[in-house]
Amino acid sequence: MAKSWQDIEEKKNLAVVIGRFQPFHYGHVYNIDRGLKEAKKVLVLVGSAFNSRSPKNPFTFEEREKMIRDHYRGSPNWDRIEVEPLPDYIYEENQWIADVQEIVTSFATETVALIGHEKDESSYYLKNFPQWEFLETGRWPSQIKTVDATQIRELYFDHDLRFVQGVVPSTTYLFLEDFARGEIYTGLQEEKKFIDDYRASWSNSPFPPTFNTVDAVVIQSGHILLIRRKVQPGKNLMAMPGGFINQYEKLEDAVIRELREETKLKVTVPFLRGSIVKQKTFDNPNRSQRGRTITQAFLFQLKNDEELPKVKGSDDAKEAMWVPLSDLYNMESELYEDHYYIIRKMIDNE
């Protein structure tokens, strides 16, 4: 049972606030300020810390950390706030929970409070930590109770920047103003328009459609085959070779076709079929901003050789390349949508 703020008689050692802060707004300030009132120190965990940029995730961890710290810079509470990155584990929720636990216990092991508001299904994570006391903030003050980061991003990319001025701290507004002058902002605007137009193309359907795609995880001699996307969405990001299934096509046929079309991989179809060692469905409802998209990933383990097959970007791929697996583990922020997490799931959980 969550206690109200009035029921807390003494300060906790640590208050924990978890969010994506895309961008940092007055609702986040409200939660952090509540934590400062009830605990000696506040730990802010910034989720989706290393995801690639997208209209949903436009700002890096470092940029979001700056927004948070700039707001409190010079205040008496400056040294009572800690900001730490929290990576996503879209298909490994227990690992995500373990990461939160590990970070929190590195700061405090007793009297920990989790700060939050159970507003909708997106707040389910608040129930994952029964060992800590949950402090329900309740609804935000009336002037900001209807504001959330999704609405702010919509206004930020679709309208004049001044529309968001009243719902973010002045330091965040200055950051957003400066960010909007750069090429990254323009690219994100273009991507958002593509996604909006794409979703509008099926908006009159009696039922929201579910799209089916295939993706290829190709491994040989300690390398993985990746492409760089040529078009929106995710233009210039790295990705697995793959794409949509044709109307009368089997999944295995589709993934081999897409693999060969996008990479010009010089390996015969029979050899590719014989190299499939694993396949798995990835169906997170939020994995794609274009709409509900379920993908079937195939793991191809090609015979190890001293020379990797020649590849060349084609079709939707700007380029194709073999990447050492040791490099892959540092590429989370360079990979499109959930491709990094799919690859890790496919190659680390055999």
Side-chain angles (χ1 to χ4, degrees):
M1 183 72 175
K3 290 186 179 181
S4 69
W5 298 103
Q6 292 78 12
D7 295 331
I8 309 302
E9 296 179 354
E10 60 183 28
K11 285 186 180 294
K12 303 290 183 183
N13 285 339
L14 186 71
V16 181
V17 179
I18 303 174
R20 292 197 316 118
F21 309 99
Q22 291 279 21
F24 182 61
H25 58 67
Y26 278 129
H28 300 135
V29 172
Y30 181 71
N31 284 351
I32 293 173
D33 285 352
R34 285 291 194 178
L36 288 167
K37 289 180 180 178
E38 306 302 330
K40 299 173 184 177
K41 189 178 285 289
V42 175
L43 173 61
V44 181
L45 297 182
V46 179
S48 303
F50 307 115
N51 289 21
S52 58
R53 291 191 196 267
S54 70
K56 182 180 179 180
N57 201 73
F59 309 114
T60 65
F61 163 72
E62 290 79 11
E63 289 164 347
R64 286 174 281 167
E65 180 185 26
K66 175 177 169 56
M67 293 182 211
I68 297 167
R69 293 199 180 281
D70 281 354
H71 175 68
Y72 289 97
R73 194 178 304 280
S75 79
N77 297 315
W78 166 256
D79 60 351
R80 294 174 56 207
I81 298 173
E82 301 287 347
V83 183
E84 292 289 326
L86 181 63
D88 274 349
Y89 293 94
I90 296 176
Y91 303 106
E92 296 282 355
E93 185 172 24
N94 286 334
Q95 182 60 60
W96 183 86
I97 294 172
D99 269 19
V100 174
Q101 293 172 338
E102 183 177 359
I103 298 170
V104 169
T105 54
S106 71
F107 285 93
T109 56
E110 297 179 353
T111 61
V112 175
L114 182 61
I115 309 294
H117 172 46
E118 296 182 276
K119 60 178 182 176
D120 54 36
E121 63 276 4
S122 69
S123 306
Y124 78 95
Y125 67 89
L126 295 170
K127 300 181 183 295
N128 287 335
F129 306 98
Q131 70 271 40
W132 304 325
E133 187 169 14
F134 171 51
L135 302 181
E136 168 67 63
T137 61
R139 291 188 177 275
W140 299 338
S142 59
Q143 68 268 28
I144 57 174
K145 69 181 180 180
T146 60
V147 175
D148 61 35
T150 300
Q151 293 174 332
I152 293 173
R153 292 193 302 272
E154 289 284 331
L155 293 169
Y156 183 50
F157 289 116
D158 289 350
H159 302 283
D160 191 293
L161 177 59
R162 289 171 295 179
F163 280 85
V164 307
Q165 190 166 11
V167 294
V168 299
S170 59
T171 49
T172 297
Y173 181 79
L174 290 173
F175 171 87
L176 296 176
E177 192 175 42
D178 184 63
F179 189 84
R181 299 189 185 101
E183 293 182 4
I184 295 174
Y185 175 85
T186 302
L188 291 170
Q189 269 193 320
E190 293 172 356
E191 182 169 354
K192 185 178 184 304
K193 183 179 186 309
F194 176 92
I195 292 170
D196 289 346
D197 291 346
Y198 189 92
R199 295 178 69 91
S201 69
W202 50 260
S203 61
N204 293 325
S205 173
F207 303 99
T210 297
F211 304 103
N212 292 284
T213 60
V214 287
D215 286 297
V217 181
V218 184
I219 304 294
Q220 180 173 331
S221 303
H223 289 69
I224 184 169
L225 179 56
L226 297 177
I227 64 159
R228 189 176 301 280
R229 293 176 62 86
K230 184 190 297 184
V231 296
Q232 298 285 15
K235 184 178 180 181
N236 290 324
L237 289 176
M238 305 293 285
M240 296 176 286
F244 289 93
I245 302 164
N246 289 338
Q247 187 70 32
Y248 301 104
E249 195 172 35
K250 294 180 179 179
L251 294 173
E252 187 176 295
D253 294 335
V255 73
I256 290 174
R257 173 184 55 77
E258 286 285 351
L259 173 59
R260 287 165 61 85
E261 285 178 357
E262 293 190 341
T263 69
K264 299 299 181 184
L265 179 63
K266 301 297 184 182
V267 176
T268 66
V269 170
F271 188 87
L272 287 173
R273 289 193 193 280
S275 300
I276 296 173
V277 296
K278 180 181 180 181
Q279 59 177 296
K280 184 174 177 60
T281 303
F282 293 89
D283 61 352
N284 187 300
N286 301 311
R287 63 175 300 270
S288 177
Q289 294 172 63
R290 291 175 291 183
R292 183 68 195 277
T293 306
I294 298 173
T295 196
Q296 188 77 4
F298 290 77
L299 177 59
F300 295 80
Q301 181 64 64
L302 304 185
K303 182 180 178 181
N304 290 337
D305 200 338
E306 292 181 359
E307 186 175 352
L308 296 165
K310 293 183 183 296
V311 292
K312 179 183 179 181
S314 184
D315 194 41
D316 292 335
K318 184 176 182 179
E319 58 181 317
M321 69 205 75
W322 290 101
V323 175
L325 289 176
S326 59
D327 291 348
L328 171 74
Y329 292 98
N330 297 315
M331 293 177 62
E332 185 174 353
S333 63
E334 300 177 49
L335 281 154
Y336 175 61
E337 289 189 335
D338 62 346
H339 286 209
Y340 177 83
Y341 312 107
I342 289 177
I343 293 170
R344 290 291 303 266
K345 186 74 172 177
M346 293 293 285
I347 66 177
D348 291 349
N349 293 272
E350 294 186 72

